[in-house]
PDB file of all heavy atoms in Angstrom:
ATOM      1  N   SER Y 174      -6.352 -31.205 -76.296  1.00 59.00           N
ATOM      2  CA  SER Y 174      -5.066 -31.321 -76.980  1.00 59.00           C
ATOM      3  C   SER Y 174      -4.534 -32.734 -76.821  1.00 59.00           C
ATOM      4  O   SER Y 174      -4.657 -33.345 -75.765  1.00 59.00           O
ATOM      5  CB  SER Y 174      -4.064 -30.316 -76.406  1.00 59.00           C
ATOM      6  OG  SER Y 174      -4.473 -28.995 -76.670  1.00 59.00           O
ATOM      7  N   THR Y 175      -3.934 -33.234 -77.889  1.00 59.00           N
ATOM      8  CA  THR Y 175      -3.361 -34.565 -77.880  1.00 59.00           C
ATOM      9  C   THR Y 175      -1.910 -34.487 -78.325  1.00 59.00           C
ATOM     10  O   THR Y 175      -1.603 -33.848 -79.329  1.00 59.00           O
ATOM     11  CB  THR Y 175      -4.132 -35.503 -78.827  1.00 59.00           C
ATOM     12  OG1 THR Y 175      -5.500 -35.530 -78.432  1.00 59.00           O
ATOM     13  CG2 THR Y 175      -3.551 -36.916 -78.769  1.00 59.00           C
ATOM     14  N   THR Y 176      -1.030 -35.109 -77.581  1.00 60.00           N
ATOM     15  CA  THR Y 176       0.378 -35.151 -77.956  1.00 60.00           C
ATOM     16  C   THR Y 176       0.648 -36.426 -78.724  1.00 60.00           C
ATOM     17  O   THR Y 176       0.391 -37.512 -78.230  1.00 60.00           O
ATOM     18  CB  THR Y 176       1.274 -35.095 -76.714  1.00 60.00           C
ATOM     19  OG1 THR Y 176       0.987 -33.899 -75.991  1.00 60.00           O
ATOM     20  CG2 THR Y 176       2.739 -35.118 -77.108  1.00 60.00           C
ATOM     21  N   THR Y 177       1.148 -36.274 -79.946  1.00 54.00           N
ATOM     22  CA  THR Y 177       1.451 -37.419 -80.788  1.00 54.00           C
ATOM     23  C   THR Y 177       2.956 -37.536 -80.952  1.00 54.00           C
ATOM     24  O   THR Y 177       3.584 -36.658 -81.533  1.00 54.00           O
ATOM     25  CB  THR Y 177       0.792 -37.262 -82.173  1.00 54.00           C
ATOM     26  OG1 THR Y 177      -0.602 -37.063 -81.993  1.00 54.00           O
ATOM     27  CG2 THR Y 177       1.040 -38.496 -83.022  1.00 54.00           C
ATOM     28  N   SER Y 178       3.530 -38.602 -80.411  1.00 52.00           N
ATOM     29  CA  SER Y 178       4.972 -38.775 -80.507  1.00 52.00           C
ATOM     30  C   SER Y 178       5.341 -39.297 -81.874  1.00 52.00           C
ATOM     31  O   SER Y 178       4.778 -40.267 -82.363  1.00 52.00           O
ATOM     32  CB  SER Y 178       5.452 -39.758 -79.432  1.00 52.00           C
ATOM     33  OG  SER Y 178       6.824 -40.024 -79.607  1.00 52.00           O
ATOM     34  N   SER Y 179       6.306 -38.624 -82.503  1.00 46.00           N
ATOM     35  CA  SER Y 179       6.745 -39.039 -83.840  1.00 46.00           C
ATOM     36  C   SER Y 179       7.456 -40.377 -83.807  1.00 46.00           C
ATOM     37  O   SER Y 179       7.603 -41.025 -84.828  1.00 46.00           O
ATOM     38  CB  SER Y 179       7.654 -37.965 -84.425  1.00 46.00           C
ATOM     39  OG  SER Y 179       8.724 -37.718 -83.550  1.00 46.00           O
ATOM     40  N   THR Y 180       7.908 -40.834 -82.620  1.00 42.00           N
ATOM     41  CA  THR Y 180       8.635 -42.098 -82.561  1.00 42.00           C
ATOM     42  C   THR Y 180       7.710 -43.294 -82.716  1.00 42.00           C
ATOM     43  O   THR Y 180       8.172 -44.412 -82.853  1.00 42.00           O
ATOM     44  CB  THR Y 180       9.382 -42.228 -81.223  1.00 42.00           C
ATOM     45  OG1 THR Y 180       8.448 -42.135 -80.145  1.00 42.00           O
ATOM     46  CG2 THR Y 180      10.409 -41.135 -81.078  1.00 42.00           C
ATOM     47  N   SER Y 181       6.399 -43.091 -82.700  1.00 36.00           N
ATOM     48  CA  SER Y 181       5.485 -44.206 -82.868  1.00 36.00           C
ATOM     49  C   SER Y 181       5.154 -44.460 -84.332  1.00 36.00           C
ATOM     50  O   SER Y 181       4.425 -45.369 -84.662  1.00 36.00           O
ATOM     51  CB  SER Y 181       4.182 -43.930 -82.100  1.00 36.00           C
ATOM     52  OG  SER Y 181       3.522 -42.794 -82.640  1.00 36.00           O
ATOM     53  N   ALA Y 182       5.721 -43.640 -85.220  1.00 34.00           N
ATOM     54  CA  ALA Y 182       5.454 -43.815 -86.644  1.00 34.00           C
ATOM     55  C   ALA Y 182       6.127 -45.082 -87.154  1.00 34.00           C
ATOM     56  O   ALA Y 182       7.146 -45.513 -86.646  1.00 34.00           O
ATOM     57  CB  ALA Y 182       5.954 -42.613 -87.429  1.00 34.00           C
ATOM     58  N   THR Y 183       5.539 -45.678 -88.198  1.00 29.00           N
ATOM     59  CA  THR Y 183       6.121 -46.904 -88.755  1.00 29.00           C
ATOM     60  C   THR Y 183       6.773 -46.643 -90.102  1.00 29.00           C
ATOM     61  O   THR Y 183       7.219 -47.557 -90.749  1.00 29.00           O
ATOM     62  CB  THR Y 183       5.017 -47.968 -88.927  1.00 29.00           C
ATOM     63  OG1 THR Y 183       3.970 -47.450 -89.741  1.00 29.00           O
ATOM     64  CG2 THR Y 183       4.453 -48.368 -87.575  1.00 29.00           C
ATOM     65  N   SER Y 184       6.808 -45.395 -90.539  1.00 31.00           N
ATOM     66  CA  SER Y 184       7.463 -45.052 -91.790  1.00 31.00           C
ATOM     67  C   SER Y 184       8.301 -43.816 -91.561  1.00 31.00           C
ATOM     68  O   SER Y 184       8.305 -43.244 -90.479  1.00 31.00           O
ATOM     69  CB  SER Y 184       6.422 -44.784 -92.895  1.00 31.00           C
ATOM     70  OG  SER Y 184       5.732 -43.587 -92.624  1.00 31.00           O
ATOM     71  N   SER Y 185       9.011 -43.369 -92.592  1.00 31.00           N
ATOM     72  CA  SER Y 185       9.872 -42.216 -92.448  1.00 31.00           C
ATOM     73  C   SER Y 185       9.161 -40.921 -92.808  1.00 31.00           C
ATOM     74  O   SER Y 185       9.800 -39.923 -93.040  1.00 31.00           O
ATOM     75  CB  SER Y 185      11.108 -42.389 -93.346  1.00 31.00           C
ATOM     76  OG  SER Y 185      10.709 -42.494 -94.697  1.00 31.00           O
ATOM     77  N   THR Y 186       7.851 -40.933 -92.879  1.00 31.00           N
ATOM     78  CA  THR Y 186       7.094 -39.720 -93.178  1.00 31.00           C
ATOM     79  C   THR Y 186       7.377 -38.673 -92.119  1.00 31.00           C
ATOM     80  O   THR Y 186       7.329 -38.950 -90.932  1.00 31.00           O
ATOM     81  CB  THR Y 186       5.584 -40.010 -93.207  1.00 31.00           C
ATOM     82  OG1 THR Y 186       5.332 -41.010 -94.188  1.00 31.00           O
ATOM     83  CG2 THR Y 186       4.802 -38.753 -93.557  1.00 31.00           C
ATOM     84  N   TYR Y 187       7.622 -37.433 -92.537  1.00 35.00           N
ATOM     85  CA  TYR Y 187       7.989 -36.383 -91.604  1.00 35.00           C
ATOM     86  C   TYR Y 187       6.749 -35.830 -90.929  1.00 35.00           C
ATOM     87  O   TYR Y 187       5.997 -35.072 -91.499  1.00 35.00           O
ATOM     88  CB  TYR Y 187       8.730 -35.261 -92.339  1.00 35.00           C
ATOM     89  CG  TYR Y 187       9.235 -34.227 -91.388  1.00 35.00           C
ATOM     90  CD1 TYR Y 187      10.189 -34.547 -90.438  1.00 35.00           C
ATOM     91  CD2 TYR Y 187       8.716 -32.950 -91.395  1.00 35.00           C
ATOM     92  CE1 TYR Y 187      10.645 -33.616 -89.552  1.00 35.00           C
ATOM     93  CE2 TYR Y 187       9.169 -31.996 -90.512  1.00 35.00           C
ATOM     94  CZ  TYR Y 187      10.123 -32.330 -89.592  1.00 35.00           C
ATOM     95  OH  TYR Y 187      10.564 -31.395 -88.696  1.00 35.00           O
ATOM     96  N   THR Y 188       6.508 -36.259 -89.675  1.00 35.00           N
ATOM     97  CA  THR Y 188       5.283 -35.872 -88.993  1.00 35.00           C
ATOM     98  C   THR Y 188       5.322 -34.447 -88.475  1.00 35.00           C
ATOM     99  O   THR Y 188       4.319 -33.933 -88.021  1.00 35.00           O
ATOM    100  CB  THR Y 188       5.000 -36.822 -87.809  1.00 35.00           C
ATOM    101  OG1 THR Y 188       6.116 -36.773 -86.915  1.00 35.00           O
ATOM    102  CG2 THR Y 188       4.784 -38.232 -88.283  1.00 35.00           C
ATOM    103  N   GLY Y 189       6.471 -33.808 -88.540  1.00 36.00           N
ATOM    104  CA  GLY Y 189       6.537 -32.428 -88.084  1.00 36.00           C
ATOM    105  C   GLY Y 189       5.702 -31.494 -88.923  1.00 36.00           C
ATOM    106  O   GLY Y 189       5.417 -30.375 -88.528  1.00 36.00           O
ATOM    107  N   THR Y 190       5.285 -31.909 -90.127  1.00 34.00           N
ATOM    108  CA  THR Y 190       4.476 -31.050 -90.982  1.00 34.00           C
ATOM    109  C   THR Y 190       2.990 -31.306 -90.796  1.00 34.00           C
ATOM    110  O   THR Y 190       2.171 -30.716 -91.475  1.00 34.00           O
ATOM    111  CB  THR Y 190       4.818 -31.293 -92.464  1.00 34.00           C
ATOM    112  OG1 THR Y 190       4.501 -32.638 -92.800  1.00 34.00           O
ATOM    113  CG2 THR Y 190       6.285 -31.044 -92.726  1.00 34.00           C
ATOM    114  N   THR Y 191       2.624 -32.211 -89.895  1.00 33.00           N
ATOM    115  CA  THR Y 191       1.224 -32.552 -89.710  1.00 33.00           C
ATOM    116  C   THR Y 191       0.428 -31.330 -89.289  1.00 33.00           C
ATOM    117  O   THR Y 191       0.755 -30.658 -88.331  1.00 33.00           O
ATOM    118  CB  THR Y 191       1.068 -33.640 -88.628  1.00 33.00           C
ATOM    119  OG1 THR Y 191       1.831 -34.774 -89.017  1.00 33.00           O
ATOM    120  CG2 THR Y 191      -0.393 -34.032 -88.482  1.00 33.00           C
TER     121      THR Y 191
END
Side-chain angles (χ1 to χ4, degrees):
S174 295
T175 303
T176 302
T177 304
S178 174
S179 56
T180 58
S181 63
T183 56
S184 70
S185 61
T186 302
Y187 185 64
T188 58
T190 62
T191 302

